[in-house]
Amino acid sequence: MRLEIKDLHVHYGKIEAIKGISVVVNEGEIVTLIGANGAGKTTTLKTISGLRPVSSGSVIFDGEDISKLPAHDRVRRGISQAPEGRGIFPGMTVLENLEMGKYHLKMKSSEINEDLEKIYSLFPRLKERATQAGGTLSGGEQQMLAIGRALMARPKVLLLDEPSMGLAPQMIANIFRIITEINKPM
């Protein structure tokens, strides 16, 4: 098993946002959290990423309890997230946004270029717009950029929060095709 959430409880002050959920994600699986607005989907992903503290329960990744690890250590271990609302850096170029996905890794420029080419093969539009400010991209292009940036971290687990929010039906189909493609074994 790659990721396991055991009896997870998360609070915002005195309000319990997550009330004892448990989930197992095996390697190669695509798992979807479905629920109404306010059901705790984003909070669950933020907790897995280390952006929200665990009140009780645990987050197990590759057999290790990471519940107390800070977010940057979780990224180093292989958990990456494309946040809800895309969360790109609007004043930075597409290329600079993608490079931020590698910020924590010490890599040779040849490895970074190799990863950039993989992202550009998944999202050719990003290559066309590499020098353009991220904030000037369309909603679908910004979503591609957020996913591409998360992939630059070479994750073992990729968390996508609302990857189709606000997108046209054709773009939604394209995003889900790419999600299926990146999940295939290399």
Side-chain angles (χ1 to χ4, degrees):
M1 128 188 43
R2 179 64 73 176
L3 177 69
E4 183 177 11
I5 299 152
K6 291 182 179 179
D7 194 29
L8 187 67
H9 293 260
V10 178
H11 289 81
Y12 286 92
K14 292 182 180 184
I15 299 170
E16 188 172 34
I18 299 176
K19 303 174 184 181
I21 68 165
S22 296
V23 177
V24 172
V25 180
N26 293 303
E27 189 167 348
E29 285 186 318
I30 296 176
V31 175
T32 305
L33 296 177
I34 299 173
N37 288 339
K41 301 178 300 293
T42 295
T43 299
T44 300
L45 296 181
K46 284 182 175 182
T47 304
I48 294 167
S49 294
L51 301 174
R52 292 283 329 146
V54 172
S55 300
S56 67
S58 57
V59 178
I60 312 292
F61 181 66
D62 281 345
E64 180 184 353
D65 188 340
I66 62 166
S67 303
K68 304 275 189 237
L69 280 181
H72 63 276
D73 285 336
R74 295 181 196 204
V75 174
R76 282 190 187 105
R77 289 172 199 245
I79 297 175
S80 188
Q81 181 173 352
E84 178 182 22
R86 300 172 193 112
I88 63 157
F89 300 102
M92 296 171 74
T93 67
V94 167
L95 176 59
E96 291 167 337
N97 268 276
L98 291 172
E99 289 173 337
M100 290 302 294
K102 289 276 187 223
Y103 180 77
H104 72 290
L105 299 174
K106 292 181 173 71
M107 299 183 73
K108 297 175 188 171
S109 61
S110 62
E111 292 174 309
I112 293 171
N113 289 335
E114 180 183 312
D115 287 355
L116 279 170
E117 286 308 312
K118 287 179 186 174
I119 300 306
Y120 290 152
S121 71
L122 287 170
F123 304 109
R125 183 65 126 204
L126 295 181
K127 187 171 187 173
E128 295 170 13
R129 303 202 186 279
T131 60
Q132 188 173 328
T136 64
L137 300 176
S138 72
E141 292 166 340
Q142 287 184 22
Q143 188 63 55
M144 290 178 202
L145 181 56
I147 294 170
R149 184 185 60 214
L151 288 171
M152 289 292 288
R154 295 186 174 184
K156 296 175 187 174
V157 170
L158 176 63
L159 306 172
L160 302 174
D161 194 355
E162 300 269 1
S164 62
M165 182 171 65
L167 300 181
Q170 184 175 353
M171 183 58 71
I172 292 170
N174 188 38
I175 292 292
F176 286 115
R177 178 191 56 76
I178 289 167
I179 290 169
T180 302
E181 187 175 324
I182 62 178
N183 191 52
K184 290 178 184 173
M186 300 302 267

mmCIF file of all heavy atoms in Angstrom, residues 154-180:
data_model
loop_
_atom_site.group_PDB
_atom_site.id
_atom_site.type_symbol
_atom_site.label_atom_id
_atom_site.label_comp_id
_atom_site.label_asym_id
_atom_site.label_seq_id
_atom_site.Cartn_x
_atom_site.Cartn_y
_atom_site.Cartn_z
ATOM 1 N N ARG A 154 8.302 14.968 -9.274
ATOM 2 C CA ARG A 154 8.432 13.512 -9.426
ATOM 3 C C ARG A 154 7.698 12.755 -8.311
ATOM 4 O O ARG A 154 8.276 11.930 -7.618
ATOM 5 C CB ARG A 154 9.889 13.097 -9.464
ATOM 6 C CG ARG A 154 10.655 13.600 -10.661
ATOM 7 C CD ARG A 154 12.041 13.038 -10.700
ATOM 8 N NE ARG A 154 12.699 13.441 -11.945
ATOM 9 C CZ ARG A 154 13.895 13.032 -12.303
ATOM 10 N NH1 ARG A 154 14.585 12.220 -11.528
ATOM 11 N NH2 ARG A 154 14.424 13.442 -13.433
ATOM 12 N N PRO A 155 6.405 13.030 -8.152
ATOM 13 C CA PRO A 155 5.681 12.415 -7.028
ATOM 14 C C PRO A 155 5.408 10.927 -7.210
ATOM 15 O O PRO A 155 5.269 10.440 -8.330
ATOM 16 C CB PRO A 155 4.363 13.198 -7.004
ATOM 17 C CG PRO A 155 4.152 13.588 -8.435
ATOM 18 C CD PRO A 155 5.536 13.876 -8.967
ATOM 19 N N LYS A 156 5.320 10.248 -6.089
ATOM 20 C CA LYS A 156 4.826 8.873 -6.046
ATOM 21 C C LYS A 156 3.312 8.914 -5.900
ATOM 22 O O LYS A 156 2.607 8.020 -6.352
ATOM 23 C CB LYS A 156 5.437 8.127 -4.861
ATOM 24 C CG LYS A 156 6.930 7.958 -4.944
ATOM 25 C CD LYS A 156 7.447 7.317 -3.670
ATOM 26 C CE LYS A 156 8.958 7.270 -3.628
ATOM 27 N NZ LYS A 156 9.444 6.774 -2.334
ATOM 28 N N VAL A 157 2.810 9.952 -5.216
ATOM 29 C CA VAL A 157 1.381 10.198 -5.057
ATOM 30 C C VAL A 157 1.112 11.639 -5.480
ATOM 31 O O VAL A 157 1.744 12.566 -4.980
ATOM 32 C CB VAL A 157 0.917 9.978 -3.598
ATOM 33 C CG1 VAL A 157 -0.512 10.461 -3.392
ATOM 34 C CG2 VAL A 157 1.038 8.517 -3.210
ATOM 35 N N LEU A 158 0.191 11.800 -6.413
ATOM 36 C CA LEU A 158 -0.196 13.122 -6.907
ATOM 37 C C LEU A 158 -1.608 13.402 -6.420
ATOM 38 O O LEU A 158 -2.538 12.646 -6.732
ATOM 39 C CB LEU A 158 -0.135 13.157 -8.435
ATOM 40 C CG LEU A 158 -0.588 14.438 -9.109
ATOM 41 C CD1 LEU A 158 0.299 15.617 -8.710
ATOM 42 C CD2 LEU A 158 -0.579 14.263 -10.632
ATOM 43 N N LEU A 159 -1.766 14.481 -5.663
ATOM 44 C CA LEU A 159 -3.070 14.887 -5.148
ATOM 45 C C LEU A 159 -3.594 16.030 -6.010
ATOM 46 O O LEU A 159 -2.935 17.060 -6.136
ATOM 47 C CB LEU A 159 -2.945 15.352 -3.689
ATOM 48 C CG LEU A 159 -2.292 14.368 -2.720
ATOM 49 C CD1 LEU A 159 -2.062 15.042 -1.365
ATOM 50 C CD2 LEU A 159 -3.143 13.126 -2.566
ATOM 51 N N LEU A 160 -4.758 15.834 -6.592
ATOM 52 C CA LEU A 160 -5.375 16.851 -7.445
ATOM 53 C C LEU A 160 -6.671 17.310 -6.792
ATOM 54 O O LEU A 160 -7.598 16.522 -6.655
ATOM 55 C CB LEU A 160 -5.653 16.274 -8.838
ATOM 56 C CG LEU A 160 -4.458 15.724 -9.592
ATOM 57 C CD1 LEU A 160 -4.908 15.049 -10.884
ATOM 58 C CD2 LEU A 160 -3.455 16.823 -9.882
ATOM 59 N N ASP A 161 -6.723 18.564 -6.404
ATOM 60 C CA ASP A 161 -7.909 19.104 -5.744
ATOM 61 C C ASP A 161 -8.755 19.850 -6.764
ATOM 62 O O ASP A 161 -8.351 20.898 -7.273
ATOM 63 C CB ASP A 161 -7.485 20.031 -4.601
ATOM 64 C CG ASP A 161 -8.631 20.366 -3.662
ATOM 65 O OD1 ASP A 161 -9.784 19.961 -3.943
ATOM 66 O OD2 ASP A 161 -8.373 21.022 -2.641
ATOM 67 N N GLU A 162 -9.908 19.279 -7.071
ATOM 68 C CA GLU A 162 -10.864 19.867 -8.022
ATOM 69 C C GLU A 162 -10.208 20.158 -9.378
ATOM 70 O O GLU A 162 -10.248 21.291 -9.866
ATOM 71 C CB GLU A 162 -11.460 21.157 -7.439
ATOM 72 C CG GLU A 162 -12.201 20.985 -6.141
ATOM 73 C CD GLU A 162 -13.682 20.706 -6.296
ATOM 74 O OE1 GLU A 162 -14.164 20.621 -7.446
ATOM 75 O OE2 GLU A 162 -14.337 20.575 -5.259
ATOM 76 N N PRO A 163 -9.613 19.142 -10.022
ATOM 77 C CA PRO A 163 -8.899 19.402 -11.275
ATOM 78 C C PRO A 163 -9.782 19.874 -12.422
ATOM 79 O O PRO A 163 -9.275 20.437 -13.389
ATOM 80 C CB PRO A 163 -8.254 18.057 -11.605
ATOM 81 C CG PRO A 163 -9.088 17.051 -10.910
ATOM 82 C CD PRO A 163 -9.585 17.733 -9.659
ATOM 83 N N SER A 164 -11.097 19.690 -12.323
ATOM 84 C CA SER A 164 -11.981 20.102 -13.423
ATOM 85 C C SER A 164 -12.808 21.341 -13.094
ATOM 86 O O SER A 164 -13.613 21.773 -13.906
ATOM 87 C CB SER A 164 -12.921 18.948 -13.782
ATOM 88 O OG SER A 164 -13.739 18.610 -12.676
ATOM 89 N N MET A 165 -12.573 21.942 -11.936
ATOM 90 C CA MET A 165 -13.397 23.081 -11.500
ATOM 91 C C MET A 165 -13.312 24.252 -12.489
ATOM 92 O O MET A 165 -12.228 24.727 -12.824
ATOM 93 C CB MET A 165 -12.945 23.557 -10.118
ATOM 94 C CG MET A 165 -13.787 24.701 -9.572
ATOM 95 S SD MET A 165 -13.422 25.095 -7.857
ATOM 96 C CE MET A 165 -11.757 25.675 -7.952
ATOM 97 N N GLY A 166 -14.473 24.670 -12.967
ATOM 98 C CA GLY A 166 -14.570 25.841 -13.817
ATOM 99 C C GLY A 166 -14.096 25.661 -15.249
ATOM 100 O O GLY A 166 -13.920 26.639 -15.965
ATOM 101 N N LEU A 167 -13.898 24.426 -15.671
ATOM 102 C CA LEU A 167 -13.383 24.191 -17.023
ATOM 103 C C LEU A 167 -14.501 23.796 -17.983
ATOM 104 O O LEU A 167 -15.512 23.224 -17.577
ATOM 105 C CB LEU A 167 -12.327 23.081 -16.997
ATOM 106 C CG LEU A 167 -11.102 23.334 -16.132
ATOM 107 C CD1 LEU A 167 -10.146 22.154 -16.235
ATOM 108 C CD2 LEU A 167 -10.405 24.627 -16.511
ATOM 109 N N ALA A 168 -14.276 24.072 -19.248
ATOM 110 C CA ALA A 168 -15.216 23.669 -20.301
ATOM 111 C C ALA A 168 -15.192 22.148 -20.429
ATOM 112 O O ALA A 168 -14.166 21.516 -20.152
ATOM 113 C CB ALA A 168 -14.811 24.317 -21.624
ATOM 114 N N PRO A 169 -16.307 21.540 -20.872
ATOM 115 C CA PRO A 169 -16.370 20.081 -20.982
ATOM 116 C C PRO A 169 -15.229 19.455 -21.786
ATOM 117 O O PRO A 169 -14.701 18.421 -21.408
ATOM 118 C CB PRO A 169 -17.726 19.838 -21.651
ATOM 119 C CG PRO A 169 -18.549 21.019 -21.259
ATOM 120 C CD PRO A 169 -17.587 22.169 -21.198
ATOM 121 N N GLN A 170 -14.829 20.082 -22.885
ATOM 122 C CA GLN A 170 -13.736 19.538 -23.699
ATOM 123 C C GLN A 170 -12.424 19.551 -22.907
ATOM 124 O O GLN A 170 -11.641 18.611 -22.967
ATOM 125 C CB GLN A 170 -13.589 20.324 -24.993
ATOM 126 C CG GLN A 170 -12.540 19.736 -25.923
ATOM 127 C CD GLN A 170 -12.492 20.469 -27.250
ATOM 128 O OE1 GLN A 170 -13.308 21.332 -27.538
ATOM 129 N NE2 GLN A 170 -11.527 20.125 -28.070
ATOM 130 N N MET A 171 -12.190 20.611 -22.145
ATOM 131 C CA MET A 171 -10.972 20.703 -21.341
ATOM 132 C C MET A 171 -11.006 19.681 -20.203
ATOM 133 O O MET A 171 -9.980 19.088 -19.867
ATOM 134 C CB MET A 171 -10.810 22.121 -20.789
ATOM 135 C CG MET A 171 -9.530 22.312 -20.001
ATOM 136 S SD MET A 171 -8.007 21.948 -20.914
ATOM 137 C CE MET A 171 -7.969 23.314 -22.042
ATOM 138 N N ILE A 172 -12.168 19.448 -19.621
ATOM 139 C CA ILE A 172 -12.307 18.446 -18.557
ATOM 140 C C ILE A 172 -11.926 17.068 -19.101
ATOM 141 O O ILE A 172 -11.171 16.336 -18.477
ATOM 142 C CB ILE A 172 -13.741 18.434 -17.979
ATOM 143 C CG1 ILE A 172 -14.014 19.733 -17.211
ATOM 144 C CG2 ILE A 172 -13.966 17.223 -17.072
ATOM 145 C CD1 ILE A 172 -15.465 19.940 -16.815
ATOM 146 N N ALA A 173 -12.435 16.749 -20.275
ATOM 147 C CA ALA A 173 -12.102 15.455 -20.885
ATOM 148 C C ALA A 173 -10.599 15.339 -21.115
ATOM 149 O O ALA A 173 -10.000 14.286 -20.871
ATOM 150 C CB ALA A 173 -12.864 15.285 -22.199
ATOM 151 N N ASN A 174 -9.971 16.420 -21.552
ATOM 152 C CA ASN A 174 -8.533 16.423 -21.792
ATOM 153 C C ASN A 174 -7.754 16.231 -20.485
ATOM 154 O O ASN A 174 -6.809 15.439 -20.427
ATOM 155 C CB ASN A 174 -8.117 17.729 -22.474
ATOM 156 C CG ASN A 174 -6.681 17.706 -22.931
ATOM 157 O OD1 ASN A 174 -6.183 16.686 -23.399
ATOM 158 N ND2 ASN A 174 -6.008 18.830 -22.801
ATOM 159 N N ILE A 175 -8.159 16.923 -19.426
ATOM 160 C CA ILE A 175 -7.479 16.800 -18.124
ATOM 161 C C ILE A 175 -7.585 15.363 -17.615
ATOM 162 O O ILE A 175 -6.592 14.774 -17.159
ATOM 163 C CB ILE A 175 -8.071 17.796 -17.094
ATOM 164 C CG1 ILE A 175 -7.739 19.247 -17.476
ATOM 165 C CG2 ILE A 175 -7.598 17.472 -15.679
ATOM 166 C CD1 ILE A 175 -6.284 19.644 -17.372
ATOM 167 N N PHE A 176 -8.759 14.755 -17.701
ATOM 168 C CA PHE A 176 -8.922 13.386 -17.210
ATOM 169 C C PHE A 176 -8.189 12.365 -18.083
ATOM 170 O O PHE A 176 -7.693 11.359 -17.586
ATOM 171 C CB PHE A 176 -10.388 13.042 -16.994
ATOM 172 C CG PHE A 176 -10.945 13.712 -15.774
ATOM 173 C CD1 PHE A 176 -11.945 14.663 -15.878
ATOM 174 C CD2 PHE A 176 -10.439 13.429 -14.516
ATOM 175 C CE1 PHE A 176 -12.432 15.307 -14.745
ATOM 176 C CE2 PHE A 176 -10.921 14.068 -13.379
ATOM 177 C CZ PHE A 176 -11.916 15.005 -13.494
ATOM 178 N N ARG A 177 -8.066 12.640 -19.376
ATOM 179 C CA ARG A 177 -7.257 11.784 -20.243
ATOM 180 C C ARG A 177 -5.796 11.833 -19.790
ATOM 181 O O ARG A 177 -5.122 10.807 -19.678
ATOM 182 C CB ARG A 177 -7.378 12.235 -21.704
ATOM 183 C CG ARG A 177 -6.525 11.407 -22.671
ATOM 184 C CD ARG A 177 -6.443 12.034 -24.062
ATOM 185 N NE ARG A 177 -5.951 13.394 -24.073
ATOM 186 C CZ ARG A 177 -4.659 13.739 -23.916
ATOM 187 N NH1 ARG A 177 -3.749 12.810 -23.716
ATOM 188 N NH2 ARG A 177 -4.300 14.999 -23.965
ATOM 189 N N ILE A 178 -5.325 13.024 -19.471
ATOM 190 C CA ILE A 178 -3.930 13.185 -19.036
ATOM 191 C C ILE A 178 -3.711 12.525 -17.667
ATOM 192 O O ILE A 178 -2.679 11.886 -17.445
ATOM 193 C CB ILE A 178 -3.547 14.684 -19.034
ATOM 194 C CG1 ILE A 178 -3.452 15.155 -20.487
ATOM 195 C CG2 ILE A 178 -2.239 14.912 -18.272
ATOM 196 C CD1 ILE A 178 -3.391 16.646 -20.664
ATOM 197 N N ILE A 179 -4.681 12.632 -16.769
ATOM 198 C CA ILE A 179 -4.561 11.982 -15.451
ATOM 199 C C ILE A 179 -4.406 10.476 -15.651
ATOM 200 O O ILE A 179 -3.562 9.847 -15.019
ATOM 201 C CB ILE A 179 -5.775 12.313 -14.563
ATOM 202 C CG1 ILE A 179 -5.733 13.789 -14.152
ATOM 203 C CG2 ILE A 179 -5.831 11.396 -13.326
ATOM 204 C CD1 ILE A 179 -7.020 14.286 -13.503
ATOM 205 N N THR A 180 -5.190 9.903 -16.530
ATOM 206 C CA THR A 180 -5.087 8.468 -16.815
ATOM 207 C C THR A 180 -3.727 8.144 -17.426
ATOM 208 O O THR A 180 -3.095 7.159 -17.057
ATOM 209 C CB THR A 180 -6.222 8.049 -17.764
ATOM 210 O OG1 THR A 180 -7.478 8.375 -17.152
ATOM 211 C CG2 THR A 180 -6.179 6.554 -18.041
#
